Amino acid sequence: MYSRLKIRCGYTGIVCRFLSSAEISTALRPFYFSVHPDLFGKYPEQQSINEYSLQQLSALIEAQQTRRRLMLPPLQFYLRQKDKPEGDFKLIKIQLNGNDVRETVVKVLNACDMSTTYIDKIPHSPRKTNFSKENLAKSYQEYTDEFEKASYMKKKVEERKAIMDIVEWICENSAVAKEKYDMTSATREQVKSLIRHLCNTYGIKEVKYDSGWNISHIRGALQSLVSLASQHTKTMSNLDGRIIALGQFTGVSLDGDVYLNIIDVRNEWISLIKKVSQEDSALVMIPNYEKALSSILRNIHICRRKFMPKVSAMQYCNHLRQLITSIGDFYGRGSKFASSVPESLSKYEIVVEPEAGPLMLSPTGQFCTPSSCPADELMAFIADHLDEATLLLTEYSINKHVEKALHKEVKERFGLLELHKDDSITPALMISCCQRLLTRSDKLNMNLRGNILNITHYYSVLTEGVLCIPWNFK
């Protein structure tokens, strides 16, 4: 804890011996470079959450330095992880309601599993120093300037890399993409052959995989599965008539597909295949849980969004049960919806997601709630956002048809082999992108022909020859 020291200043009162701005900035530097919003440009949801939480943290530190009391809800941060694939973030929640700057900094670092060695070496004992309002303002400004300087430098670097013209970029990279596509043709054929072998030999209905994986990783995973199957032929009969999916978790999905995590060891795969019928039991319970949840939320429609975090059927059952229990307790205390909420919410949709996630309204008008969300917060959020949800749902119902027509037109006009989009690209964004592509058809037509195009938030040519362009290209 910092020590308190009476100091004669330009005003009357007691001032605390804080960590200096430079000390705070140095101690939190590893944290900033794990959560800074500029590092999450491809992930707008995580970027927005980190930006808001950093603003709250900054306000708290300022309040603590001026001996003001500031109460905050738990702050959420998404952390980049060095040894994990891109996009695999760790979500942490930190409760910071003390009045001690040192304690705040230590709590932040501990929550992120980051070293506190630097701050531990800073003495707790009082240091004789003249501290005034002017000194405090200057010290905090230095801290703010250092943070903003790092952000500014990052922004300038990205601006230099920015593509000024979509036509120029496509012209420069379409041939490269086609060459990469041709170079991976043998790998794709091997993938098809391995899938045919699994389907024909073991009666598997279909083998699919997440598009985010490199094709060579898919081939390696399929080779491992074929090898595993040859050693456990009797067990493989459990997969007769099933759909196998190579993805980011191991378990039975909400659609009944058998998911195998590419990075898992093969023992985990065979363990699931042996007990797959037990996992199926959760699929039978899901409709009952969803019906129960819908009934206590005034017949709201329980949905699953396409890009919701992947979970097994058993995990999803647990999430539904957790939220149902919380809402039941809410009603048991005599609480209820606000009077402004209509008696039926059947025209609205809600998605129940894992515990680590934000309470939010999706761009398509769905209420998205973590299963751990307190019922009173969920009820209040629904009541406050019904008008916005109605507007977004209406917009989506119109846009999805327009998007489908434009998708078909772009694919045919440019002679694309395939046209995809990231999960984060809403119909409205896709419509805007397709319309602007069509206005450049005379310049892009020949260069895009025979390519695979993916609409996302950045420019890139993937190893298997996919052209990635941002939806808001210039």
Side-chain angles (χ1 to χ4, degrees), residues 105-116:
V105 173
V106 170
K107 274 190 175 182
V108 169
L109 294 176
N110 284 337
C112 303
D113 294 325
M114 294 178 179
S115 173
T116 60

Side-chain angles (χ1 to χ4, degrees), residues 301-320:
H301 187 47
I302 313 299
C303 291
R304 305 163 196 166
R305 54 184 179 135
K306 177 185 174 184
F307 47 96
M308 69 186 289
K310 298 294 185 185
V311 295
S312 70
M314 201 163 289
Q315 288 174 313
Y316 184 59
C317 278
N318 292 335
H319 296 154
L320 291 172

Side-chain angles (χ1 to χ4, degrees), residues 284-302 304 316 320 324:
V284 179
M285 296 187 290
I286 286 175
N288 295 329
Y289 280 126
E290 290 185 333
K291 184 177 180 180
L293 179 59
S294 174
S295 66
I296 61 176
L297 287 177
R298 299 190 178 181
N299 296 318
I300 197 169
H301 187 47
I302 313 299
R304 305 163 196 166
Y316 184 59
L320 291 172
I324 290 169

Side-chain angles (χ1 to χ4, degrees), residues 367-379:
F367 291 101
C368 300
T369 178
S371 59
S372 58
C373 181
D376 54 346
E377 291 185 20
L378 174 59
M379 303 304 205

Side-chain angles (χ1 to χ4, degrees), residues 112 118 300 369 393 453 456 470:
C112 303
Y118 171 81
I300 197 169
T369 178
L393 282 168
L453 187 63
T456 180

Side-chain angles (χ1 to χ4, degrees), residues 95-326:
Q95 182 67 63
L96 302 170
N97 279 330
N99 56 5
D100 186 328
V101 177
R102 179 190 288 268
E103 181 183 5
T104 293
V105 173
V106 170
K107 274 190 175 182
V108 169
L109 294 176
N110 284 337
C112 303
D113 294 325
M114 294 178 179
S115 173
T116 60
T117 302
Y118 171 81
I119 199 166
D120 291 341
K121 292 180 180 178
I122 300 174
H124 289 257
S125 58
R127 291 200 305 228
K128 192 81 172 181
T129 180
N130 291 325
F131 215 92
S132 66
K133 287 184 177 180
E134 291 75 16
N135 290 340
L136 177 61
K138 181 180 178 182
S139 184
Y140 182 71
Q141 189 60 48
E142 289 174 354
Y143 157 69
T144 304
D145 289 346
E146 183 168 359
F147 187 85
E148 292 181 350
K149 183 178 178 181
S151 176
Y152 175 78
M153 291 176 66
K154 180 76 165 52
K155 181 179 179 181
K156 296 304 289 183
V157 169
E158 290 187 349
E159 284 177 353
R160 293 192 193 101
K161 296 179 180 179
I163 309 300
M164 299 307 296
D165 188 284
I166 182 71
V167 176
E168 180 183 345
W169 189 84
I170 292 292
C171 289
E172 290 179 357
N173 291 279
S174 61
V176 175
K178 289 177 182 177
E179 183 180 351
K180 287 186 175 183
Y181 182 77
D182 291 340
M183 289 175 63
T184 57
S185 61
T187 305
R188 289 196 303 277
E189 286 302 318
Q190 286 178 295
V191 166
K192 292 178 182 178
S193 176
L194 289 165
I195 290 175
R196 282 195 299 269
H197 171 76
L198 287 167
C199 293
N200 295 335
T201 306
Y202 304 104
I204 294 172
K205 181 179 179 181
E206 180 186 352
V207 178
K208 59 185 183 180
Y209 47 87
D210 289 348
S211 59
W213 291 100
N214 184 295
I215 193 67
S216 61
H217 292 156
I218 298 299
R219 178 183 60 184
L222 288 170
Q223 288 171 336
S224 294
L225 182 56
V226 167
S227 174
L228 183 70
S230 66
Q231 300 169 26
H232 301 273
T233 53
K234 291 184 179 180
T235 303
M236 290 297 289
S237 63
N238 292 344
L239 298 180
D240 185 30
R242 305 295 294 253
I243 294 176
I244 305 300
L246 302 176
Q248 298 182 358
F249 80 103
T250 296
V252 176
S253 76
L254 306 186
D255 299 316
D257 299 342
V258 179
Y259 265 76
L260 303 176
N261 191 341
I262 289 181
I263 62 175
D264 275 350
V265 296
R266 295 194 301 176
N267 285 343
E268 294 186 35
W269 291 2
I270 198 63
S271 176
L272 169 66
I273 296 170
K274 287 179 179 178
K275 63 175 184 178
V276 71
S277 60
Q278 298 175 28
E279 295 277 332
D280 285 342
S281 62
L283 292 172
V284 179
M285 296 187 290
I286 286 175
N288 295 329
Y289 280 126
E290 290 185 333
K291 184 177 180 180
L293 179 59
S294 174
S295 66
I296 61 176
L297 287 177
R298 299 190 178 181
N299 296 318
I300 197 169
H301 187 47
I302 313 299
C303 291
R304 305 163 196 166
R305 54 184 179 135
K306 177 185 174 184
F307 47 96
M308 69 186 289
K310 298 294 185 185
V311 295
S312 70
M314 201 163 289
Q315 288 174 313
Y316 184 59
C317 278
N318 292 335
H319 296 154
L320 291 172
R321 186 166 52 243
Q322 182 180 10
L323 190 58
I324 290 169
T325 301
S326 176

